[in-house]
Amino acid sequence: AFTGTPFANVERIASSSLRARRAAASSSGSPALAPCTSSSFLPKHSSISCAAPSVPLPPPGTYRVFVADWGYHTSIIVEQPRGFALGPPGRERAPFLEYAWGDRLFYMESDYQPQAIFATLVLPTPTVAYLDAWPDPPQFSGARAVYERTVDAATVRALLIDLERTFRRTDGDRLAPYPAVAPHDGRFYPSYGHYFWIHDCNWWTVARLASARLAGSGAGGLFSGQVASRLHGFHRVLSNENPPTNDSS
C-alpha cells in the first residue's frame, strides 16, 4: 500500500471521491485506460496511429519475465529476444527491458503537491509510459518483492506487442521520448489512456500481463501488494518488506 508522505491519506481521499471519478469517466465517452484500443483517444485527423506495433516472432526458446513491486508502484521486466531493438535511445538492444505506466505529473515530474495528488486520484489525468534498459541478470535493488516466470517465444511476443501498444505512435514508430528526467535511468514517452485511481499503474501491470495470459483480471487491483495474487505461474525470487524510499521507477 501507499506509505509515508505524501501517501498517508490517499486511501481515504480516493474512497470518498469514487463517485466523482465514475461520473467523469462516464461523461468522457472513452474508457479510463485501454492502451491503443480505441480511436476515441485520438484527435480528429491525427497522424498518431493506434495500430498494433510490428513485433516479429522471436527465436524459439524460453524467455524470463519479472514483475517488480517497488513499494507502491509495479513494473514489468521482459527478456528482450536476440536481434530485437526495443530499448530506449542508446540502449536499444539491452538484454532486458522494464516497462511501466503512470500519471505524468506524479510519475515523471515527481509533483507531490496536494493539488497534483488530488488530480491524480479524482480526475482523468495525462499519462506516460516508462522504458528502461536492464543488464543480464537484472538487478532489483530497492524492490519490495520480485516475481519471475519463463515463457515461450509466442507468449513473449504477445506480451511485447501489448506493452508496445501503450506508446503513442506515428507511422508505426513511438513518438519521441520526453527529455531525460533524474533520477530515472530510463525514458518517459507519451502514452495512451488517462489515469484514474480505479485504473492505476498496478491495474495497468496486471492488464498487460493478462493480455498474454500471464495474469487474471486487474479489476479491483489498486495497490502494488495486490498484484501478486493475480499472477499466473510466477514465483517470488526476492522479498524485502523495507525497501529504500527512493523508488527506482
Side-chain angles (χ1 to χ4, degrees):
F2 291 79
T3 57
T5 304
F7 308 117
N9 296 317
V10 164
E11 204 166 352
R12 176 182 58 79
I13 296 172
S15 297
S16 66
S17 58
L18 179 56
R19 184 177 300 174
R21 286 189 299 277
R22 285 174 174 167
S26 175
S27 62
S28 70
S30 64
L33 189 156
C36 203
T37 58
S38 172
S39 60
S40 61
F41 286 121
L42 308 179
K44 258 189 175 181
H45 312 303
S46 170
S47 62
I48 297 174
S49 170
C50 210
S54 176
V55 176
L57 185 65
T62 58
Y63 297 86
R64 287 168 286 173
V65 177
F66 298 88
V67 177
D69 176 349
W70 300 103
Y72 65 90
H73 171 83
T74 52
S75 62
I76 301 170
I77 297 91
V78 185
E79 184 172 0
Q80 180 167 218
R82 294 187 307 275
F84 281 37
L86 298 175
R91 297 180 291 169
E92 289 85 354
R93 298 185 182 276
F96 285 83
L97 303 174
E98 179 186 19
Y99 290 86
W101 176 91
D103 175 81
R104 188 174 69 193
L105 277 178
F106 188 87
Y107 189 14
M108 183 178 80
E109 300 180 20
S110 298
D111 186 346
Y112 304 141
Q113 297 181 81
Q115 62 269 28
I117 296 175
F118 182 79
T120 298
L121 295 172
V122 177
L123 305 175
T125 52
T127 58
V128 288
Y130 180 74
L131 179 65
D132 199 359
W134 285 50
D136 185 6
Q139 303 298 311
F140 295 101
S141 175
R144 182 169 68 180
V146 178
Y147 305 87
E148 177 187 7
R149 68 161 291 171
T150 57
V151 299
D152 60 18
T155 303
V156 79
R157 178 177 183 263
L159 178 59
L160 285 170
I161 288 174
D162 201 69
L163 291 167
E164 287 291 324
R165 285 169 68 91
T166 303
F167 297 80
R168 286 185 174 268
R169 296 176 176 271
T170 180
D171 297 326
D173 297 322
R174 299 174 189 144
L175 298 188
Y178 293 103
V181 178
H184 302 281
D185 294 328
R187 300 295 295 272
F188 290 97
Y189 293 77
S191 70
Y192 289 103
H194 291 86
Y195 192 97
F196 279 117
W197 173 68
I198 53 174
H199 282 168
D200 66 358
C201 56
N202 300 309
W203 174 88
W204 177 91
T205 294
V206 177
R208 306 286 64 78
L209 292 166
S211 72
R213 299 183 178 181
L214 299 178
S217 171
L222 307 176
F223 303 108
S224 62
Q226 296 175 295
V227 170
S229 64
R230 292 164 165 78
L231 302 178
H232 290 171
F234 286 80
H235 64 280
R236 181 179 288 196
V237 294
L238 181 149
S239 179
N240 175 17
E241 293 303 319
N242 296 292
T245 56
N246 56 328
D247 186 63
S248 70
S249 60

